Amino acid sequence: MGKEEKIHLKRELGYFWGTNFLIINVIGAGIFVSPKGVLEHSCMNVGISLCIWGACAVLAITYTLCFAEIGITFPCSGAHYYFIKRCFGPVAAFLRLWTNLFTGAGIVASQALLLAEYSIQPFYPSCSIPKLPMKCVALAMLWVVGILNCRGVKEVTWLQTVSTVLKVSILSLISLSGVVMLVRGKQVNVERLQNAFDAEFPAASQIIEAVFQGYFAFSGGGCFTCVAGELKKPRETIPKCIFTAFPLLTVLYLLVNISYMTVLTPREILSSDAVAITWTDRVIPQLTWFIPFAISASLFSNLLINVLQTSRVLYIAGQQGQLPLLFNTLNIHSSPLIAVLLNITMGSIAIVITNLIELINYLYFVISIWTVLSMIGLLKLRYQEPNLHRPYQVFMPFIFITMAMTLSMVLIPLVKSPKMHYIYVLLFLLSGLLFYIPFTYLKLKLVCFEKMTCYLQLLLNICVPDKSDEQI
């Protein structure tokens, strides 16, 4: 077999795709549906709320640059999992994998259900959507996404490009419309932003809540660690993508919020469940139908990328020996087929058993813990391995800022509303040891599983990539 025909994860994604990937991850449905959280916790102080949006953009950039060091220093797919294993050992890495397995499935299930809700809502204009058709559409969407991911990243890139153009175009339309209204200087529009800081000044606790709301709208920047093994020249590509995408997103988010406040009063924004639709009704009523379509397209692209990210973590876990050999296999399209199928199957189960999705809010609590550990790991390696080759090194205060922000997200919910659910989530996290000890630590082998591995390799036409192509 020629060298060009070898099956492995290929570095064929460049700057353009990486920028699209980052923009899609950051722009979710939130900026279209409910940007009112920042304004509400800012006591309807327009000036303060806009300042908080700017501060959240800076915090998101610091967070993304911290994970950029991980992705550039260890340029493999699923780098954040490998990084935890290198810093804290195989037990911590397996528990990180255990968490990722369920949170990934739950997140794609919730996104598929939300996508289905927005897709079929126009067919039920005056009543609530029945659960059965919504679940059927969600399952269909999820398996379409799974099939696309099994075809490899090249099949995904053109959908990403279309989605990015659609998202940015809609946000640009809202932004430019607000700018035009301000330039025209109509009193009814301009007066909404006059004396922007005259409203009540929020307390410190309210500002923190507002920052949390805005920070979530910018979240997703650490996604490069999942696909660093498929990027061309990650040392150059990742920083370029970050400093292209985030300034663009910051300007768009600020202009979109200014446009909302130009057209709607603060009380109208707070009373709206979908601010973008309310804005369109007021400014361009002919396009009101288009906003739900845009939200659906946004959710579809996010669903597509989440399946891709989760499958890469399972693939490298198989490569590191913490999952069966079957997960360290690729199909002819250089896609980790078994990892994709597992994620889609678990997501489908979560869609059918809807109550499982309620656990996602609590599992985000565990994800925050892993983020704090990643920041500690960066500091740990700085002092334990000072000579480690680091093509990029994040500014040290950024690590402490990200750690403080993430610790706040962990501790504040515990202090404000302590619940037994958090203890259950921690017990669930530790339950991963029940699988780690026999199957990974003691290396217990199941004969039936080994036979199934051989059978599936033949059935699905998958194989283990060459060791020479290992990317760490």
Side-chain angles (χ1 to χ4, degrees), residues 299-340:
L299 288 169
F300 184 83
S301 60
N302 288 114
L303 177 61
L304 192 69
I305 295 304
N306 271 314
V307 172
L308 185 147
Q309 291 181 83
T310 305
S311 65
R312 268 48 182 181
V313 177
L314 299 178
Y315 169 75
I316 194 175
Q319 191 178 85
Q320 294 291 304
Q322 292 204 325
L323 282 179
L325 177 67
L326 191 60
F327 289 91
N328 184 29
T329 56
L330 300 172
N331 63 9
I332 58 174
H333 303 290
S334 297
S335 173
L337 176 63
I338 298 299
V340 172

Side-chain angles (χ1 to χ4, degrees), residues 13-301:
L13 305 173
Y15 163 75
F16 180 74
W17 185 88
T19 304
N20 284 342
F21 182 74
L22 183 55
I23 290 174
I24 285 174
N25 264 274
V26 174
I27 301 179
I31 192 65
F32 298 111
V33 179
S34 183
K36 63 184 182 181
V38 175
L39 186 62
E40 179 181 1
H41 292 290
S42 300
C43 298
M44 293 191 290
N45 190 314
V46 173
I48 293 295
S49 68
L50 292 176
C51 291
I52 288 173
W53 277 105
C56 290
V58 174
L59 289 172
I61 292 173
T62 62
Y63 169 91
T64 305
L65 290 175
C66 290
F67 278 90
E69 178 177 334
I70 296 174
I72 293 172
T73 305
F74 307 104
C76 61
S77 296
H80 57 292
Y81 156 81
Y82 175 78
F83 180 74
I84 291 290
K85 185 172 184 287
R86 178 162 181 149
C87 291
F88 302 104
V91 176
F94 188 86
L95 294 179
R96 178 70 179 91
L97 172 67
W98 179 254
T99 305
N100 186 83
L101 187 63
F102 288 91
T103 54
I107 289 169
V108 299
S110 59
Q111 286 182 331
L113 283 169
L114 191 58
L115 171 59
E117 182 178 352
Y118 276 102
S119 299
I120 64 179
Q121 179 65 60
F123 298 100
Y124 298 91
S126 57
C127 61
S128 59
I129 302 173
K131 288 187 177 181
L132 181 59
M134 184 171 70
K135 289 187 177 184
C136 290
V137 172
L139 287 170
M141 294 286 189
L142 186 56
W143 280 94
V144 167
V145 164
I147 292 170
L148 288 171
N149 269 282
C150 291
R151 299 286 298 175
V153 293
K154 281 294 185 181
E155 296 290 329
V156 175
T157 51
W158 70 271
L159 282 173
Q160 283 187 286
T161 303
V162 172
S163 177
T164 302
V165 170
L166 178 64
K167 290 180 179 183
V168 173
S169 297
I170 293 171
L171 292 178
S172 298
L173 174 64
I174 295 173
S175 302
L176 292 175
S177 300
V179 171
V180 169
M181 291 177 188
L182 288 176
V183 170
R184 286 182 177 178
K186 288 186 178 180
Q187 185 64 25
V188 69
N189 296 323
V190 175
E191 68 183 7
R192 301 185 197 279
L193 293 177
Q194 287 179 339
N195 304 317
F197 292 91
D198 279 0
E200 178 186 355
F201 196 87
S205 60
Q206 292 174 307
I207 291 178
I208 292 173
E209 290 284 355
V211 169
F212 286 166
Q213 296 286 331
Y215 185 71
F216 279 121
F218 280 102
S219 63
C223 58
F224 279 122
T225 59
C226 294
V227 294
E230 293 162 88
L231 290 173
K232 298 175 182 176
K233 300 179 181 178
R235 173 183 179 178
E236 301 172 8
T237 302
I238 292 178
K240 284 181 181 178
C241 293
I242 292 171
F243 288 109
T244 299
F246 270 100
L248 172 64
L249 291 170
T250 302
V251 171
L252 276 178
Y253 275 30
L254 286 172
L255 289 178
V256 164
N257 278 279
I258 290 172
S259 182
Y260 288 154
M261 294 169 189
T262 301
V263 175
L264 307 170
T265 65
R267 293 193 180 278
E268 286 174 329
I269 293 175
L270 295 186
S271 63
S272 173
D273 291 326
V275 181
I277 295 177
T278 306
W279 181 94
T280 309
D281 276 335
R282 187 73 58 85
V283 180
I284 317 173
Q286 298 86 350
L287 293 181
T288 302
W289 63 271
F290 187 68
I291 297 300
F293 168 74
I295 295 173
S296 298
S298 173
L299 288 169
F300 184 83
S301 60

